[in-house]
Amino acid sequence: MTKDFLVQTRSLYAAIFDEASPVNRSGFLTEMLADAGRMAREQGREDFERLFIFNDALMSLTRQGQLLPWTLLFDGVYRVAVEMGEVEPLAALADVGSPTTSVDLVCPSGRLVIACLSTLGEAHQPFIEVRPGVHRVMLERDEEQEFHHMLLDTPAAYPADEGPDWRVVVDSQ
Protein backbone atom coordinates (compact mmCIF):
# COMPACT_ATOMS: atom_id res chain seq x y z
CA MET A 1 0.00 0.00 0.00
CA THR A 2 1.33 3.43 -0.96
CA LYS A 3 0.56 6.58 0.97
CA ASP A 4 0.98 10.01 -0.69
CA PHE A 5 1.35 13.39 0.96
CA LEU A 6 2.77 16.84 0.21
CA VAL A 7 5.80 18.51 1.81
CA GLN A 8 6.41 22.24 1.58
CA THR A 9 10.06 23.21 1.98
CA ARG A 10 11.61 26.32 3.54
CA SER A 11 15.30 25.58 3.22
CA LEU A 12 17.43 23.98 0.57
CA TYR A 13 17.99 20.86 2.65
CA ALA A 14 15.35 18.24 3.39
CA ALA A 15 15.71 15.05 5.43
CA ILE A 16 14.02 11.93 6.70
CA PHE A 17 14.55 11.37 10.41
CA ASP A 18 12.95 9.86 13.48
CA GLU A 19 10.92 12.28 15.60
CA ALA A 20 13.15 11.40 18.61
CA SER A 21 16.45 11.68 16.70
CA PRO A 22 19.11 13.80 18.43
CA VAL A 23 19.25 15.99 15.31
CA ASN A 24 15.58 16.97 15.70
CA ARG A 25 16.21 20.06 17.78
CA SER A 26 15.80 23.79 17.27
CA GLY A 27 18.88 25.50 15.94
CA PHE A 28 20.42 22.37 14.41
CA LEU A 29 20.91 23.87 10.92
CA THR A 30 22.17 27.20 12.24
CA GLU A 31 24.64 25.52 14.60
CA MET A 32 25.92 23.14 11.92
CA LEU A 33 26.45 25.97 9.43
CA ALA A 34 28.18 28.12 12.07
CA ASP A 35 30.46 25.22 13.03
CA ALA A 36 31.31 24.63 9.38
CA GLY A 37 32.11 28.33 8.91
CA ARG A 38 34.35 28.31 11.98
CA MET A 39 36.15 25.21 10.75
CA ALA A 40 36.68 26.77 7.30
CA ARG A 41 38.20 29.90 8.87
CA GLU A 42 40.42 27.84 11.20
CA GLN A 43 41.68 25.86 8.21
CA GLY A 44 42.31 29.03 6.20
CA ARG A 45 39.71 28.07 3.60
CA GLU A 46 37.40 30.32 1.61
CA ASP A 47 33.98 31.05 3.15
CA PHE A 48 32.06 29.16 0.44
CA GLU A 49 33.96 26.00 1.42
CA ARG A 50 31.93 25.84 4.63
CA LEU A 51 29.20 24.19 2.55
CA PHE A 52 31.55 21.31 1.75
CA ILE A 53 32.38 20.97 5.45
CA PHE A 54 28.68 21.13 6.29
CA ASN A 55 27.86 18.43 3.72
CA ASP A 56 30.63 16.23 5.15
CA ALA A 57 29.10 16.65 8.63
CA LEU A 58 25.65 15.71 7.26
CA MET A 59 27.13 12.60 5.65
CA SER A 60 28.73 11.64 8.96
CA LEU A 61 25.34 11.92 10.69
CA THR A 62 23.83 9.89 7.86
CA ARG A 63 26.39 7.10 8.33
CA GLN A 64 25.44 7.14 12.04
CA GLY A 65 21.78 6.64 11.06
CA GLN A 66 20.56 9.96 12.47
CA LEU A 67 18.98 11.28 9.25
CA LEU A 68 18.79 10.85 5.48
CA PRO A 69 19.35 14.34 4.00
CA TRP A 70 19.25 15.69 0.47
CA THR A 71 19.65 19.07 -1.19
CA LEU A 72 17.07 20.93 -3.20
CA LEU A 73 17.75 23.43 -5.94
CA PHE A 74 14.84 25.62 -4.81
CA ASP A 75 12.11 25.49 -2.21
CA GLY A 76 8.73 24.29 -3.32
CA VAL A 77 5.98 21.78 -2.66
CA TYR A 78 6.78 18.15 -3.31
CA ARG A 79 4.66 14.98 -3.43
CA VAL A 80 5.99 11.98 -1.50
CA ALA A 81 4.93 8.39 -2.14
CA VAL A 82 5.67 6.16 0.89
CA GLU A 83 5.50 2.41 1.02
CA MET A 84 6.62 -0.45 3.21
CA GLY A 85 8.73 -3.06 1.45
CA GLU A 86 12.10 -4.65 1.08
CA VAL A 87 14.99 -2.20 0.75
CA GLU A 88 18.18 -3.54 -0.74
CA PRO A 89 21.38 -1.92 0.49
CA LEU A 90 23.09 0.26 -2.08
CA ALA A 91 26.73 -0.47 -2.86
CA ALA A 92 27.91 2.68 -1.09
CA LEU A 93 26.34 5.54 0.79
CA ALA A 94 25.60 8.19 -1.79
CA ASP A 95 26.35 11.88 -1.41
CA VAL A 96 23.79 14.38 -0.13
CA GLY A 97 22.75 15.23 -3.71
CA SER A 98 22.28 11.71 -5.09
CA PRO A 99 18.86 10.91 -6.60
CA THR A 100 18.68 7.42 -5.04
CA THR A 101 20.11 6.42 -1.69
CA SER A 102 19.37 4.25 1.28
CA VAL A 103 20.48 4.27 4.89
CA ASP A 104 19.96 2.28 8.05
CA LEU A 105 18.01 4.84 10.06
CA VAL A 106 17.98 4.72 13.86
CA CYS A 107 14.34 5.04 14.93
CA PRO A 108 14.05 5.45 18.72
CA SER A 109 10.35 6.39 18.54
CA GLY A 110 9.45 4.71 15.24
CA ARG A 111 7.74 7.91 14.11
CA LEU A 112 9.40 9.01 10.84
CA VAL A 113 9.26 12.55 9.53
CA ILE A 114 10.24 14.35 6.32
CA ALA A 115 11.02 18.02 6.82
CA CYS A 116 13.45 20.82 6.07
CA LEU A 117 16.55 21.02 8.21
CA SER A 118 15.53 24.59 9.09
CA THR A 119 12.41 23.23 10.83
CA LEU A 120 14.14 20.68 13.04
CA GLY A 121 12.81 20.93 16.58
CA GLU A 122 9.36 22.05 15.41
CA ALA A 123 6.27 19.84 15.59
CA HIS A 124 5.99 17.63 12.50
CA GLN A 125 3.40 15.12 11.42
CA PRO A 126 5.04 11.69 11.08
CA PHE A 127 4.49 10.14 7.66
CA ILE A 128 4.76 6.56 8.94
CA GLU A 129 5.06 4.71 12.22
CA VAL A 130 7.21 1.61 12.55
CA ARG A 131 8.44 -0.38 15.51
CA PRO A 132 11.37 1.37 17.27
CA GLY A 133 14.76 0.09 16.16
CA VAL A 134 16.90 0.38 13.05
CA HIS A 135 15.12 0.45 9.69
CA ARG A 136 16.59 0.65 6.21
CA VAL A 137 15.03 3.58 4.38
CA MET A 138 15.40 4.28 0.67
CA LEU A 139 14.80 7.59 -1.06
CA GLU A 140 14.35 7.90 -4.82
CA ARG A 141 14.12 11.42 -6.17
CA ASP A 142 12.63 12.24 -9.56
CA GLU A 143 14.56 15.37 -10.45
CA GLU A 144 12.36 16.12 -13.46
CA GLN A 145 9.25 16.12 -11.25
CA GLU A 146 11.09 18.23 -8.64
CA PHE A 147 11.86 20.78 -11.35
CA HIS A 148 8.13 21.18 -12.08
CA HIS A 149 7.27 21.75 -8.41
CA MET A 150 10.06 23.95 -7.17
CA LEU A 151 8.94 27.48 -6.39
CA LEU A 152 5.35 26.37 -5.64
CA ASP A 153 4.37 28.37 -2.57
CA THR A 154 1.39 26.42 -1.24
CA PRO A 155 0.24 22.79 -1.24
CA ALA A 156 -2.95 23.92 -3.03
CA ALA A 157 -0.77 24.95 -6.01
CA TYR A 158 0.48 21.37 -6.53
CA PRO A 159 -1.19 19.83 -9.62
CA ALA A 160 -3.33 16.88 -8.53
CA ASP A 161 -2.27 14.71 -11.49
CA GLU A 162 1.51 15.14 -11.14
CA GLY A 163 4.29 13.56 -9.13
CA PRO A 164 5.47 11.94 -7.04
CA ASP A 165 8.70 13.87 -6.68
CA TRP A 166 10.08 11.53 -4.03
CA ARG A 167 9.52 7.85 -3.36
CA VAL A 168 10.34 6.55 0.12
CA VAL A 169 10.46 2.85 0.95
CA VAL A 170 10.78 1.78 4.58
CA ASP A 171 11.82 -1.81 5.22
CA SER A 172 9.00 -4.01 6.38
CA GLN A 173 11.10 -6.06 8.83
Side-chain angles (χ1 to χ4, degrees), residues 5 7 13-17 62 67-72 78-83 86-90 92-105 113-115 127 135-143 146 164-171:
F5 64 98
V7 173
Y13 288 91
I16 300 171
F17 54 93
T62 301
L67 75 167
L68 174 55
W70 65 97
T71 57
L72 299 168
Y78 303 97
R79 183 178 306 279
V80 184
V82 179
E83 61 189 78
E86 190 172 330
V87 179
E88 295 296 323
L90 297 176
L93 183 63
D95 192 14
V96 174
S98 298
T100 301
T101 192
S102 68
V103 67
D104 289 332
L105 195 64
V113 174
I114 295 178
F127 67 86
H135 293 269
R136 179 156 292 142
V137 177
M138 183 191 69
L139 169 70
E140 288 180 339
R141 296 174 48 219
D142 184 330
E143 293 172 328
E146 282 182 7
D165 304 280
W166 307 328
R167 179 176 166 253
V168 174
V169 181
V170 179
D171 73 35

Side-chain angles (χ1 to χ4, degrees), residues 1 11-12 23-24 37 57 59 62 64 81 99 111 150 156 162-163 169-170:
M1 181 171 81
S11 69
L12 301 180
V23 302
N24 189 20
M59 291 310 301
T62 301
Q64 295 170 32
R111 296 167 53 88
M150 59 182 62
E162 292 185 13
V169 181
V170 179

Side-chain angles (χ1 to χ4, degrees), residues 29-148:
L29 180 63
T30 303
E31 290 170 18
M32 292 279 293
L33 286 170
D35 288 347
R38 181 186 42 74
M39 289 176 69
R41 285 188 301 281
E42 288 172 358
Q43 296 171 9
R45 296 167 72 177
E46 298 290 327
D47 186 55
F48 75 89
E49 292 181 275
R50 71 188 162 127
L51 292 176
F52 299 114
I53 295 168
F54 175 75
N55 283 339
D56 287 345
L58 280 180
M59 291 310 301
S60 177
L61 291 168
T62 301
R63 283 188 292 279
Q64 295 170 32
Q66 298 302 311
L67 75 167
L68 174 55
W70 65 97
T71 57
L72 299 168
L73 197 54
F74 294 99
D75 287 330
V77 177
Y78 303 97
R79 183 178 306 279
V80 184
V82 179
E83 61 189 78
M84 296 292 292
E86 190 172 330
V87 179
E88 295 296 323
L90 297 176
L93 183 63
D95 192 14
V96 174
S98 298
T100 301
T101 192
S102 68
V103 67
D104 289 332
L105 195 64
V106 177
C107 304
S109 74
R111 296 167 53 88
L112 300 183
V113 174
I114 295 178
C116 296
L117 294 185
S118 66
T119 65
L120 290 171
E122 296 179 11
H124 297 99
Q125 179 68 38
F127 67 86
I128 196 168
E129 290 191 39
V130 295
R131 65 172 167 61
V134 177
H135 293 269
R136 179 156 292 142
V137 177
M138 183 191 69
L139 169 70
E140 288 180 339
R141 296 174 48 219
D142 184 330
E143 293 172 328
E144 183 176 325
Q145 285 293 322
E146 282 182 7
F147 179 77
H148 292 292

